[in-house]
C-alpha cells in the first residue's frame, strides 16, 4: 500500500477546471517534486490533499485512510503537514510561539519540548531568535520557521509549496540541505512543489510534471536537469520543434 494515493482527482473553481482526473502514488520515505508552469494545478493539488481545496471528483488516501471530504484539522491529525506557499507565519508572534502553533493538535504533549529542541538544533538561527518577532526574520529564516512549524505537528508526510520562492540561491541551498537532512532523520515522506526542475535534479528524487491541470510526464528528477529534456517531456520531440518554429 502506498503512503499517499490520489485517484482520478478533479478540482474546479466555479466553471474553471484546475485539476483534471489526476492520479499518482507516493511510497513511504519517498521524495517527490511537482513541477510545471503557473496555472498547471500544482498548488491546487496540494490544497486538495490537505483538505483546504474542495474536490469535484476522485479519491485521496493516506495509509489507507480516506482524506477526501475531511477538514484540514482531521487530515493533520492523521499525520499530514503542509508548508504553504508564502510561508504564512504569524509575524506578530515570536519564533517560539509560531513553533508552538504547530503543536495544537498533538496528543503526545510530553514530546513537544524534545521536538522543539530538535528544531532549534537543525535551525540554530531560530534558537538564537526564539523570543524575537517572527516578522523580523529574513525570508530564508521565515522559510526555516515555516518548515519547523510543520515539523512540530510530528507529521508522517509533509508537503512544501514553493520552498525556494523569493529566496537567493545560497539561501535556497541552505533550506534544502536542512529539509533533506530532517527527512532522513525522521523518515519523512516529502511532496514538494518546485518551479525549477534544475533544483529538483540537484536535490534528487522523483519528479512529476504537470501542465493544464494534468500530469504530463515524470521520472527521476536527475533526468530533467536541463531545459531540452523538460521541453521534450512537456511537448514531445515533434511538439518541441513546432514550439520552436512558432517562436521563430
Amino acid at each position: 500500500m502506498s503512503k499517499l494515493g490520489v485517484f482520478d482527482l478533479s478540482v474546479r473553481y466555479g466553471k474553471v477546471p484546475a485539476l483534471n482526473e489526476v492520479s499518482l502514488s507516493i511510497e513511504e520515505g519517498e521524495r517527490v517534486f511537482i513541477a510545471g508552469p503557473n496555472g498547471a494545478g500544482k498548488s491546487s493539488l496540494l490544497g486538495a490533499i490537505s483538505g483546504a481545496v474542495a474536490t469535484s471528483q476522485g479519491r485521496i488516501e493516506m495509509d489507507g485512510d480516506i482524506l477526501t471530504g475531511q477538514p484540514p484539522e482531521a487530515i493533520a491529525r492523521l499525520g499530514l503537514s503542509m508548508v504553504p506557499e508564502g510561508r504564512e507565519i504569524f509575524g506578530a508572534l515570536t519564533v517560539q510561539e509560531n513553533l508552538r502553533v504547530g503543536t495544537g493538535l498533538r496528543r503526545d504533549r510530553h514530546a513537544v519540548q524534545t521536538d522543539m529542541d530538535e528544531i532549534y538544533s537543525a535551525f540554530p538561527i531560530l534558537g538564537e531568535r526564539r523570543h524575537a518577532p517572527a516578522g523580523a526574520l529574513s525570508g530564508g529564516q521565515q522559510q526555516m520557521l515555516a518548515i519547523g512549524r510543520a515539523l512540530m505537528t510530528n507529521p508522517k508526510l509533509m508537503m512544501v509549496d514553493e520552498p525556494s520562492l523569493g529566496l537567493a540561491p545560497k539561501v535556497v541551498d541552505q533550506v534544502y540541505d536542512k529539509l533533506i537532512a530532517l527527512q532522513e532523520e525522521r523518515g519523512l515522506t516529502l511532496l514538494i512543489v518546485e518551479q525549477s526542475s534544475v533544483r529538483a535534479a540537484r536535490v534528487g528524487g522523483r519528479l512529476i510534471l504537470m501542465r493544464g491541470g494534468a500530469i504530463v510526464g515524470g521520472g527521476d528528477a536527475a533526468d530533467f536537469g536541463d531545459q531540452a529534456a523538460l521541453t521534450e517531456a512537456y511537448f514531445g520531440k515533434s511538439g518541441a520543434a513546432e514550439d520552436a518554429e512558432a517562436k521563430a
Side-chain angles (χ1 to χ4, degrees), residues 48-214:
I49 295 170
S50 68
V53 172
T55 62
S56 58
Q57 175 187 310
R59 187 173 84 258
I60 307 166
E61 297 181 3
M62 187 176 75
D63 293 329
D65 292 311
I66 303 296
L67 305 188
T68 323
Q70 294 204 49
E73 297 80 8
I75 292 173
R77 287 191 184 95
L78 292 172
L80 187 146
S81 188
M82 173 83 167
V83 180
E85 180 182 353
R87 301 179 278 276
E88 295 184 9
I89 58 121
F90 299 102
L93 300 182
T94 67
V95 167
Q96 186 155 289
E97 287 168 341
N98 268 271
L99 291 175
R100 289 200 174 276
V101 168
T103 70
L105 298 174
R106 291 181 61 167
R107 297 186 177 94
D108 58 338
R109 311 299 294 179
H110 63 283
V112 167
Q113 188 56 53
T114 298
D115 285 352
M116 185 87 71
D117 292 340
E118 288 181 359
I119 298 302
Y120 288 149
S121 177
F123 302 113
I125 188 63
L126 299 184
E128 294 171 14
R129 307 197 65 182
R130 69 186 70 187
H131 300 303
L137 300 179
S138 69
Q141 292 164 0
Q142 289 184 10
Q143 187 63 274
M144 294 173 189
L145 177 57
I147 292 169
R149 182 180 60 190
L151 288 168
M152 286 300 294
T153 68
N154 194 25
K156 302 172 187 174
L157 185 152
M158 191 161 78
M159 303 192 301
V160 188
D161 196 354
E162 298 279 16
S164 58
L165 186 67
L167 302 181
K170 287 186 178 179
V171 177
V172 176
D173 288 340
Q174 294 172 5
V175 169
Y176 266 112
D177 286 346
K178 295 296 186 181
L179 183 60
I180 301 314
L182 286 164
Q183 180 190 19
E184 294 172 354
E185 289 172 14
R186 292 186 171 220
L188 283 171
T189 304
L190 286 179
L191 179 59
I192 305 170
V193 166
E194 176 55 72
Q195 283 277 18
S196 171
S197 63
V198 174
R199 172 67 59 181
R202 189 179 303 163
V203 174
R206 179 158 63 97
L207 183 67
I208 294 172
L209 299 171
M210 293 189 68
R211 182 172 179 240

Side-chain angles (χ1 to χ4, degrees), residues 223-243:
D223 294 335
F224 297 94
D226 62 79
Q227 187 61 43
L230 195 63
T231 300
E232 182 175 337
Y234 277 131
F235 302 108
K237 290 183 179 179
S238 61
E242 291 171 4
D243 187 55

